[in-house]
Structure formats: C-alpha cells, structure tokens
Amino acid sequence: MRVSGPPSQSHERYERVFAEVEAPFAFVDLDAMWANADAMLERARGKPVRVASKSVRCRALLQAILDSDERFAGLMTYTLPETLWLAEQGFEDLLLAYPTADVGALGELALRSVANPDGAPIVMVDCVEHLEAIESVLGPRAAPVRVCVELDASWWALGGRIKIGAKRSPVHTVEQAVALAREIERRPQIELDALMAYEGQISGVGDRPPGRRLRGRAIRWMQRRSAAELARRRGAVVRALSEFVELQIVNGGGTGSLELTSAEDVVTEVTAGSGFYAPALFDHYSRFAQTPAAGFALPVVRKPAPKIATALGGGYLASGAGDAGRLPVPWLPAGLKLDAEEGAGEVQTPLLGDAAGELTVGDRVYFRHAKAGELCERFDTLHLVQGEEIVDVVPTYRGDGQTFC
Ligand SMILES: Cc1ncc(COP(=O)(O)O)c(C=O)c1O
C-alpha cells in the first residue's frame, strides 16, 4: 500500500481525482499519510508508537495504520464507550487516556476484565475518586481492573506561581505519585500497570508561529526547560514507583514531541495521532514538517462580487482556546483567504484573495481543518486517495453512527 513519497498536492490533481464526487466531501491522501507515518516512526527512535484514536476517528484507517508497521502498537483512546466499542471491533492493547465518571461503562469494563484479565483496556486515574468509581461496579469475585496513573506534565516556574500546560492531573510530584500508587496497592481489585504524562505545552504548541519571531523564541525557551524538567521528574517518579510496582507501560508525548519524549530512557512508548493527517495547527514546528494529508472540499455556490467566491458551509471550527488558529484554512487553489468579518460560516464561507476572482459557481475549493480527528465529526465518509485514484471510501466514527463526546 505504501509508496516512496507523496505526489505533488495541487488543485488540478485533486480535481482530476474527485471529478465524479459531489462536494462537500472529506478525504485522506494516503500517499501523504504514509509519508507522515514513516517520518513519525523515525522521530520515535525505535520506540513503539501508540496511535491516538481521537486524532484519526476512522476504524479503517486505525486498522490500516496498526497493520502497516509493528512499531505502531496499540491505541490511545478518548472515552470509555469508545474504548469498549473498539474492543468489540477486535482492537487490542487499548489505553484510555482520560478519566471517566461513566459508571455504566465501567461496569462493562469490569465484565471485559473478567473475560480477559491481561488484555482488557487500561483506564486512567489521577485521584481516589476514580478508584472508588471503579470499585463501586466490582462484585466480590471480579477480576482486577487495570489502571494507568496520569502524572501532570505541566511546567511550573517561579515556585509554582506560573504553570504552563494543560490543567489535567493533580498528581505532579514524586510524593503524590507514590501516594496514589499506594492507594491502588491497598485495593486488590485494581491493578496499576501504567504511567502516562502528556507534555501538551511541548507537543501541542508550534514553536515557530508565523510572523511572531519573539513569541517563537519564548516558546522554544519554555519548551527546552519544560522538557528537561519533565525528563528529571518522570524519571524520578518511575524509579520511585518501580520500588513496589511493575509498570508495563510508561507513555508520553504526542506528534509534536516524538523526538524529545522518546529520548527519555524510562519512556517505553510514545503516542501520535495528529501527525497522520497533519492538520493546519501542526504546520508551525521547527523540529519537523509533516505533509497535509486530510482535507475537505466545498462547492462555490455564489459570487457576491467578481473577486469573491462563496463556498457552501465550512464553519468547521476546531476545539480549543477559540482564537483564529481554530478556523479551517483554505488550501487549494493557493491564494485564498477567509473574510475577517465572516470567517468560516455555518451556511457559507466567502473566500477572498487572488484566486477567488478565478473561481466560478460550481468550482470546488479544498480546505484543511485546524485539528485532526475533529474533521471526521463533520463527514460520514473519508475518500481515500492514492496517486490518481480513489482507492476506497470508508466510514468515519460518525459514519459508523458513533459520536463519543
Ligand atoms: C494524553 C495524550 N497523549 C498524546 C496526545 C497527542 O496526540 P496527537 O499526536 O494527536 O497530538 C494527546 C493529545 O491531546 C493526549 O491528550
């Protein structure tokens, strides 16, 4: 299925490929995706890469990625119902990366753990309440449920007065990690198998923001210090836990930090998801360059003025801080931009720029989403392209009738 390098990505090529497909539609350019996959394996320096399902949200592609190379090992999932659904579909080695308060789904997990004690999904915990929720669904004869402790990876400066990173786990210090692990040890029906720390302030923040050199320099400075601090702290936590727990997994990183996280000796595996599709938010990193691999096409439906082309729909904003970087990016033909007043709208997206004057009603414009998997919440199918051909049309999670949060 793999080819040596992605063919050029031009409006003409995609127009040839999609000549028979009615827009709107979404697609994944497999040549680009496999080039991205290879690049990420290289950056992971031989460590296994767990695939983040939230950033792919398509069963067929998750399976194809796992089948493509044995170094892609296991999935990092994002909700417990999703995890159970994937397990039902035959996916194995599942690590749920976010804590759950879904007691019904925990009950199902408990049944799975009885059926397959060593192969059941691992769920995330960071406090005693999470342990109590798990225990509340376990009968006296239940098999142990496997858990992973999440260590906060944020970077604290000025004695903790400044905290940079996502507000995730309250477990930050070695002492806090040991205390939670001891709590787990006291509970025979819960088994601690893994530790995870996700350094979003490194992995998820481009260090070369366009037109903002000083900000870029400040981000690189912060990321260097944060990476060094986390390497020390993660190492100390793993050593302390290893005194009384046999950790099978020490997971870290994401698309944006593969080379840094994989360099830490204690890390047994890294995670990557967004890098397969390479959405717009991943364009601005100094450490790597991915090839855009996922997009969507919209039809031009009106021309409010000769130099403006208005496409149907398009307001597929990405989650996050709500800044302009969350808007989709007009991609092909090159030379289009969003209108500052309207942005990408619920029912229409006016396009400005040199190329807009050339577009007429019925033409198609190709866009990229700011994030990876969220594109799949807008479309039932992905058209898979290889070379000059659509080789398959596969359901997204949404096309499978599944939405997980
Ligand atoms: C726990 C965790 N690990 C890894 C990642 C990295 O995912 P990606 O490679 O899609 O950036 C994320 C992204 O949010 C995450 O929450």
Side-chain angles (χ1 to χ4, degrees):
M1 209 167 171
R2 290 182 181 219
V3 295
S4 50
S8 77
Q9 295 178 311
S10 65
H11 192 238
E12 294 71 33
R13 173 178 163 224
Y14 289 132
E15 282 297 83
R16 282 196 305 276
V17 170
F18 295 117
E20 305 299 322
V21 184
E22 200 68 52
F25 60 85
F27 68 98
V28 169
D29 184 329
L30 291 179
D31 302 309
M33 191 189 85
W34 292 128
N36 291 338
D38 287 344
M40 291 196 291
L41 285 176
E42 196 155 309
R43 290 172 56 221
R45 306 165 187 246
K47 292 223 165 134
V49 176
R50 186 174 289 279
V51 180
S53 65
K54 77 177 177 64
S55 305
V56 177
R57 298 193 204 200
C58 167
R59 262 184 321 142
L61 286 180
L62 287 171
Q63 192 63 60
I65 291 166
L66 291 171
D67 291 345
S68 73
D69 193 303
E70 63 186 17
R71 286 171 292 173
F72 289 122
L75 295 180
M76 172 175 280
T77 56
Y78 66 105
T79 73
L80 188 50
E82 180 218 10
T83 312
L84 296 168
W85 176 67
L86 288 170
E88 251 167 54
Q89 312 292 316
F91 287 91
E92 293 173 352
D93 190 1
L94 305 174
L95 172 65
L96 171 58
Y98 313 91
T100 184
D102 184 338
V103 175
L106 280 171
E108 271 184 57
L109 174 71
L111 293 178
R112 261 196 184 274
S113 303
V114 175
N116 184 5
D118 298 325
I122 301 178
V123 294
M124 199 60 53
V125 296
D126 65 31
C127 61
V128 169
E129 286 82 350
H130 294 152
L131 304 179
E132 288 170 349
I134 294 170
E135 283 186 318
S136 74
V137 301
L138 298 177
R141 296 153 79 116
V145 166
R146 305 165 75 204
V147 300
C148 175
V149 163
E150 177 162 357
L151 175 69
D152 173 45
S154 65
W155 182 56
W156 293 8
L158 300 179
R161 264 168 291 166
I162 296 179
K163 296 180 177 173
I164 298 179
K167 296 167 187 65
R168 297 176 62 123
S169 171
V171 178
H172 186 81
T173 64
V174 175
E175 294 70 32
Q176 289 169 327
V178 168
L180 184 57
R182 291 280 184 210
E183 281 287 347
I184 296 169
E185 203 188 19
R186 277 194 276 282
R187 298 162 200 257
Q189 289 183 303
I190 304 184
E191 180 180 303
L192 176 54
D193 280 353
L195 179 80
M196 182 195 82
Y198 171 57
E199 49 278 66
Q201 71 278 12
I202 303 173
S203 184
V205 179
D207 65 347
R208 200 178 263 167
R212 305 187 68 186
R213 283 184 57 197
L214 280 182
R215 185 173 161 78
R217 204 181 289 176
I219 290 172
R220 290 193 291 279
W221 179 87
M222 174 278 288
Q223 291 183 340
R224 270 197 305 277
R225 265 155 192 75
S226 173
E229 185 278 330
L230 180 59
R232 280 193 299 275
R233 188 156 51 87
R234 181 156 36 204
V237 169
V238 171
R239 280 189 295 279
L241 295 189
S242 300
E243 300 277 313
F244 60 102
V245 180
E246 213 172 300
L247 290 175
Q248 293 167 21
I249 295 172
V250 178
N251 176 285
T255 293
S257 72
L258 291 172
E259 56 286 279
L260 301 173
T261 313
S262 61
E264 291 181 35
D265 286 342
V266 299
V267 169
T268 62
E269 59 170 43
V270 286
T271 297
S274 301
F276 294 101
Y277 294 172
L281 280 173
F282 283 81
D283 285 350
H284 308 297
Y285 285 72
S286 64
R287 296 183 293 275
F288 60 90
Q290 302 283 103
T291 308
F296 60 94
L298 301 179
V300 172
V301 287
R302 55 165 54 139
K303 296 275 299 183
K307 294 196 167 167
I308 304 175
T310 298
L312 178 73
Y316 312 153
L317 272 70
S319 56
D323 52 44
R326 306 285 147 173
L327 288 162
V329 177
W331 181 25
L332 297 168
L336 293 171
K337 58 180 189 209
L338 298 178
D339 174 55
E341 294 290 321
E342 288 193 47
E346 185 178 1
V347 287
Q348 68 166 31
T349 296
L351 294 159
L352 318 178
D354 290 344
E358 308 291 315
L359 292 169
T360 59
V361 170
D363 285 348
R364 274 108 59 106
V365 174
Y366 294 79
F367 290 75
R368 292 166 66 209
H369 203 279
K371 293 184 80 172
E374 290 179 27
L375 170 65
C376 294
E377 299 299 338
R378 291 290 182 169
F379 292 91
D380 282 347
T381 59
L382 292 172
H383 291 69
L384 305 184
V385 175
Q386 207 170 340
E388 291 287 320
E389 259 179 84
I390 298 170
V391 292
D392 209 349
V393 181
V394 293
T396 58
Y397 277 12
R398 174 182 143 148
D400 273 326
Q402 304 292 334
T403 48
F404 292 110
C405 53

